[in-house]
Amino acid sequence: MAAAAVGEPSSRRVGFVGAGRMAEAIAQGLIRAGKVEAHHVLASAPTDRNLCHFQALGCQTTHSNQEVLQSCPLVFFATKPHILPAVLAEVAHVVTSEHIVVSVAAGVSLSTLEELLPPATRVLRLSPNLPCVVQEGAMVLARGRHARNSEVELVQTLLEACGQCEEVPEAQVDIHTGLSGSGVAFVCLFSEALAEGAIKMGMPSGLAHRIATQTLLGTAKMLLQQGRHPAQLRTDVCTPGGTTIYGLHALEQGGLRAATMSAVEAATCRAKELSRK
């Protein structure tokens, strides 16, 4: 089984317990990038409601969680957090030392996962965000006590198909939730506000929203590809006495910077609260 997990895409088998939108996004990224062949992906769910999306990708499906573990050495657990303990209890007896278990369930700690699985199980905790559905996700990965560098590297290599994936200490997973998980909504709010400013000044709504979205995309690409600090790019746009400095002054008067920092802090604190429950 281990050989299949690290082998060529033609032999690699990947399983999904839970077939929701995030599981589908990860599977879709792996298949489109050629990391895994569609017929080597097996997904389980209690009903066919979500499995149809996997079937449309050419994947195998089942209603048996145990079958996924028996067929695949690398398994993503993408159930709702509150039902994950029951699912792990159901499949624990078929988890072997050959398996790599990746939990996508928010708020479920590595220690909890390891307690519910057989001793020495290689466990990883993955925190993705919604843009994984368009293969532009921002993901972080934390390793359990028994996961080795080879398992971390394998999963990171696979998940490159869905965006950026970096290993972090588990303590930073909740911060990632506040920054990138919730941050998608914060960015959408800012994009909406940008467009509405243009609408107020007379631009048609559809055009304003398209330009605002493209502005966010282009700026993000420049920051990623050039590796520059945002303040450097901001300075390039800001000429003395020009339009941008007037706009930035208005944003500072409105408290944009402090409000955004507070939003990330509030979302992170809430993620920590949920993790403790």
Side-chain angles (χ1 to χ4, degrees), residues 124 141 143 148-158 160:
L124 299 169
L141 190 67
R143 70 172 77 187
R148 302 165 301 195
N149 288 341
S150 57
E151 285 90 54
V152 173
E153 290 168 4
L154 168 65
V155 174
Q156 282 185 303
T157 299
L158 289 174
E160 286 173 359

Side-chain angles (χ1 to χ4, degrees), residues 58-76:
C59 303
Q60 303 296 310
T61 61
T62 178
H63 296 302
S64 170
N65 296 330
Q66 294 183 24
E67 184 181 346
V68 176
L69 274 295
Q70 290 165 340
S71 302
C72 304
L74 172 60
V75 180
F76 290 86

Side-chain angles (χ1 to χ4, degrees), residues 22-214:
M22 196 57 68
E24 179 194 352
I26 294 172
Q28 184 173 275
L30 298 181
I31 293 165
R32 285 184 174 175
K35 303 277 188 178
V36 181
E37 293 187 6
H39 66 279
H40 283 161
V41 173
L42 176 62
S44 65
T47 69
D48 290 331
R49 184 167 62 90
N50 289 328
L51 290 178
C52 62
H53 300 299
F54 277 81
Q55 292 163 358
L57 291 171
C59 303
Q60 303 296 310
T61 61
T62 178
H63 296 302
S64 170
N65 296 330
Q66 294 183 24
E67 184 181 346
V68 176
L69 274 295
Q70 290 165 340
S71 302
C72 304
L74 172 60
V75 180
F76 290 86
F77 283 80
T79 67
K80 298 292 186 183
H82 68 280
I83 69 169
L84 182 59
V87 171
L88 292 177
E90 173 200 344
V91 303
H93 70 283
V94 294
V95 175
T96 73
S97 60
E98 303 291 328
H99 282 103
I100 303 171
V101 173
V102 183
S103 171
V104 188
V108 182
S109 68
L110 286 168
S111 61
T112 298
L113 296 168
E114 290 176 337
E115 286 171 10
L116 294 169
L117 291 166
T121 301
R122 296 175 291 174
V123 178
L124 299 169
R125 183 180 171 192
L126 176 67
S127 178
N129 72 344
L130 190 57
C132 284
V133 303
V134 291
Q135 285 74 60
E136 290 293 352
M139 299 162 280
V140 295
L141 190 67
R143 70 172 77 187
R145 290 177 298 159
H146 307 291
R148 302 165 301 195
N149 288 341
S150 57
E151 285 90 54
V152 173
E153 290 168 4
L154 168 65
V155 174
Q156 282 185 303
T157 299
L158 289 174
L159 290 175
E160 286 173 359
C162 304
Q164 176 181 309
C165 182
E166 299 196 26
E167 184 182 8
V168 299
E170 188 179 20
Q172 294 181 15
V173 171
D174 288 334
I175 302 173
H176 175 266
T177 299
L179 169 63
S180 189
S182 300
V184 173
F186 306 157
V187 172
C188 286
L189 182 63
F190 181 65
S191 179
E192 185 180 3
L194 274 180
E196 287 176 345
I199 294 166
K200 179 182 178 182
M201 300 311 296
M203 182 176 283
S205 176
L207 177 60
H209 282 286
R210 289 195 300 274
I211 291 177
T213 302
Q214 184 62 38

